Amino acid sequence: MKRLLRNLPPPASISISSMIFFLLLLLGLKSTTTHAAVDSSRSIQIMNESGRRIVIHWVNPDTGEMVLQSDPDVLNGANMDLNSYVGHTFEVRELPAKKTGFCAGEDETCRVDHFTVNSNVDQVLFIREGITVEHSDSKIIALKSASKLLDDCKSIAKRQLSKNDNADVDAAASILEELTVCVQKGIAKEIEMANDEITFQAEIRKKMADSWENYTCADEAVNATEPTKEGVNWRGRKVQVMIDRPASKIHTIQNFLSPDECRAVEEAAKPRLHDATVADGSGGSHKSDSRKAKQAGIKVNWKKEAQGDLIAQLSRRVYDYVNYVLPLDIRENGQEDLMSIQYFGRGPDDVTPDRYMPHCDGDCNGLDFKAGNRMATIVMYCEMPMVGGATNFRNSGVHIKPKQYSATFFSYIDPETMKMDDGFTEHSGCPVVEGEKKIVTQWVRLGVDDKNPWNSFNTLGIKYSDAANQ
């Protein structure tokens, strides 16, 4: 809560409606704390790593009826989110391969396994080879962390013992003391990290996110979030760090692109503009009320970069900044086209304004990165509307009111562990009320090249060739 309150305007400028909002918010948090103990609902993730196409059914405990949950089927390499309750049981069933019409079990039977939702949080079900379910949750992860910690400490103790061939009681006591200190330090660090994560999420995420999103988008007087770090300079451009976590970084960069570069992008996009689309959950895309805008992909002519082509030099700046922040040596080969996106305001009475509802550009489930997928984004602002159009990261409590020609960079991968962000970079574009919002977006992928370009993957992050064979 402290993090959010820091970003409020001074008391004299807070409206009555804003005060009521925050009183309701505090009551909501109190209610959440009071009833959390009896809440049996659980959000779980299912990761299909079996090498086969599968289907998920809920098993009705009274009738044994199988109720389909996965529509469409869950392809190998895809994940599925499921809202359920403690004690509910599900069946995981292999489906026949499209090419052969057979399953890979003994005598070509379709293999089956089951899992039951437990009372722990952060539940992830990994469907492994052979259609076997591996259950992971907060308690299992903690036990694994503790086991690794103890193994490390045991190794230290063994090394000390090997140095004392004739170890007496005093030496053994000294070694035990070192082991105890090692364990205490490790546990303290684990607890500190866990508390930091819990506190951060409890203050600004999930329960508050929807209300905060609506509040900041509706009130033009709300100030932009103050950065956590200033004074950073990149190639003469002022950088403000809003969030700096291993798998979640949010920066703003002033004067990132020029008016001439904006005009070049707009001219290139003009004949290609069409209604924007979103992923449809089955590997394709479709129009949706959650995203109302016009967009056009722009191919970068890298052969003209040496001659000073404006679009090529802008694109090069994008990759240079990504590599400045992330040690991943990202190349332009195989990357997505630059995307020109335009939102149009039609006045305060428009019931379906141009906007982009909260979403993640890549996976934001905290799990392992999948090769070829998105892991960073840069949004560049060529024109900002008179009213509306701010960029929100609701789970991080970050509200950005962009300036013309600035950019917002955010990455959603930990380059050391290769784990994805856990929702901190979920973002939205507030409704455009008056004026026009024109942006240029580059979604940046890791694991693409000329032989495996971005468009060889579907919107689930699976190669089309792999999906066709399942």
Side-chain angles (χ1 to χ4, degrees):
M1 179 59 71
K2 290 180 182 177
R3 185 183 184 90
L4 183 60
L5 293 178
R6 268 208 315 268
N7 302 322
L8 286 175
S13 67
I14 298 178
S15 63
I16 296 296
S17 61
S18 298
M19 292 176 66
I20 292 172
F21 165 79
F22 274 97
L23 285 172
L24 290 172
L25 188 59
L26 288 168
L27 288 171
L29 286 176
K30 183 178 179 181
S31 174
T32 298
T33 304
T34 304
H35 297 291
V38 297
D39 184 10
S40 65
S41 63
R42 293 293 182 272
S43 296
I44 62 176
Q45 294 183 70
I46 299 170
M47 309 295 295
N48 185 9
E49 300 178 356
S50 66
R52 309 291 296 184
R53 192 164 49 102
I54 61 171
V55 66
I56 311 292
H57 286 90
W58 170 59
V59 183
N60 188 311
D62 298 320
T63 65
E65 178 189 2
M66 308 291 284
V67 182
L68 180 66
Q69 302 295 305
S70 53
D71 184 19
D73 310 327
V74 185
L75 297 174
N76 178 56
N79 57 281
M80 172 184 169
D81 295 327
L82 192 63
N83 294 318
S84 186
Y85 294 89
V86 174
H88 280 202
T89 296
F90 296 85
E91 179 192 86
V92 181
R93 179 175 291 273
E94 176 187 11
L95 290 175
K98 291 180 180 178
K99 281 191 173 182
T100 65
F102 299 109
C103 289
E106 188 175 352
D107 297 327
E108 299 177 337
T109 57
C110 295
R111 295 162 292 185
V112 174
D113 202 356
H114 297 81
F115 66 87
T116 299
V117 179
N118 62 37
S119 59
N120 299 328
V121 297
D122 299 330
Q123 294 185 55
V124 182
L125 286 303
F126 295 93
I127 315 303
R128 303 297 192 189
E129 187 175 352
I131 315 298
T132 58
V133 177
E134 179 182 316
H135 204 144
S136 176
D137 56 45
S138 56
K139 185 176 288 188
I140 292 171
I141 291 170
L143 287 172
K144 286 182 178 178
S145 297
S147 296
K148 183 181 184 304
L149 175 64
L150 191 55
D151 288 342
D152 291 342
C153 292
K154 283 180 180 177
S155 296
I156 293 173
K158 286 179 180 178
R159 284 198 298 271
Q160 292 295 326
L161 280 170
S162 66
K163 296 177 183 177
N164 295 273
D165 295 331
N166 300 314
D168 56 18
V169 174
D170 291 337
S174 175
I175 293 168
L176 183 59
E177 182 64 25
E178 288 190 32
L179 177 61
T180 302
V181 171
C182 173
V183 173
Q184 285 176 334
K185 286 182 177 178
I187 290 175
K189 185 177 180 181
E190 289 288 320
I191 291 173
E192 182 181 357
M193 291 173 63
N195 284 342
D196 176 67
E197 184 73 8
I198 291 169
T199 301
F200 188 78
Q201 293 194 30
E203 286 179 344
I204 57 177
R205 290 186 75 189
K206 296 181 179 178
K207 297 297 182 183
M208 297 169 59
D210 287 336
S211 299
W212 190 87
E213 166 81 10
N214 293 331
Y215 165 64
T216 51
C217 281
D219 192 344
E220 276 290 309
V222 172
N223 294 330
T225 304
E226 291 295 324
T228 59
K229 184 179 179 181
E230 289 191 278
V232 180
N233 190 286
W234 182 76
R235 296 184 179 177
R237 296 171 171 87
K238 180 182 177 182
V239 176
Q240 294 182 318
V241 177
M242 314 304 289
I243 294 291
D244 189 18
R245 298 170 64 82
S248 320
K249 300 183 187 300
I250 305 172
H251 299 176
T252 62
I253 313 107
Q254 301 304 316
N255 300 310
F256 189 84
L257 74 172
S258 70
D260 287 344
E261 289 167 342
C262 283
R263 281 191 288 270
V265 170
E266 189 171 351
E267 284 299 314
K270 193 176 295 183
R272 302 184 181 92
L273 283 173
H274 60 274
D275 289 335
T277 58
V278 298
D280 63 5
S282 62
S285 60
H286 66 132
K287 296 178 186 178
S288 170
D289 288 340
S290 68
R291 186 186 187 195
K292 286 195 66 180
K294 297 289 185 180
Q295 68 179 27
I298 302 167
K299 291 190 178 299
V300 180
N301 190 340
W302 291 105
K303 293 179 181 179
K304 291 186 176 182
E305 182 181 10
Q307 287 88 48
D309 181 81
L310 291 172
I311 293 176
Q313 75 178 19
L314 173 61
S315 225
R316 177 62 61 199
R317 193 178 308 127
V318 165
Y319 295 114
D320 285 351
Y321 192 81
V322 172
N323 286 321
Y324 163 72
V325 179
L326 302 173
L328 294 172
D329 191 26
I330 299 299
R331 308 292 179 89
E332 71 272 16
N333 308 77
Q335 295 286 347
E336 295 187 50
D337 298 339
L338 274 174
M339 187 66 71
S340 174
I341 307 172
Q342 301 180 15
Y343 301 83
F344 302 92
R346 292 176 288 274
D349 297 327
D350 185 8
V351 294
T352 57
D354 284 10
R355 69 180 304 175
Y356 202 170
M357 299 293 283
H359 65 285
C360 295
D361 284 351
D363 287 338
C364 54
N365 50 24
L367 300 176
D368 291 336
F369 170 73
K370 292 185 287 190
N373 281 245
R374 295 173 178 174
M375 53 84 206
T377 302
I378 289 190
V379 180
M380 298 159 274
Y381 306 90
C382 285
E383 187 173 333
M384 287 303 296
M386 293 173 285
V387 180
T391 299
N392 267 347
F393 294 83
R394 63 178 187 173
N395 290 336
S396 293
V398 173
H399 178 64
I400 297 173
K401 302 177 84 169
K403 296 179 180 178
Q404 190 176 29
Y405 308 129
S406 69
T408 298
F409 163 87
F410 49 102
S411 58
Y412 26 101
I413 187 173
D414 183 337
E416 290 190 10
T417 64
M418 300 304 287
K419 297 286 187 183
M420 299 301 286
D421 166 49
D422 194 20
F424 293 104
T425 58
E426 181 188 75
H427 59 286
S428 63
C430 290
V432 173
V433 181
E434 294 180 10
E436 296 181 5
K437 177 182 177 181
K438 296 180 180 180
I439 63 175
V440 185
T441 298
Q442 179 67 65
W443 294 291
V444 184
R445 295 180 180 241
L446 177 62
V448 294
D449 52 33
D450 291 332
K451 292 183 178 179
N452 301 282
W454 70 274
N455 53 7
S456 63
F457 297 84
N458 65 22
T459 54
L460 294 173
I462 302 170
K463 293 199 74 171
Y464 283 108
S465 55
D466 294 336
N469 292 327
Q470 292 183 33

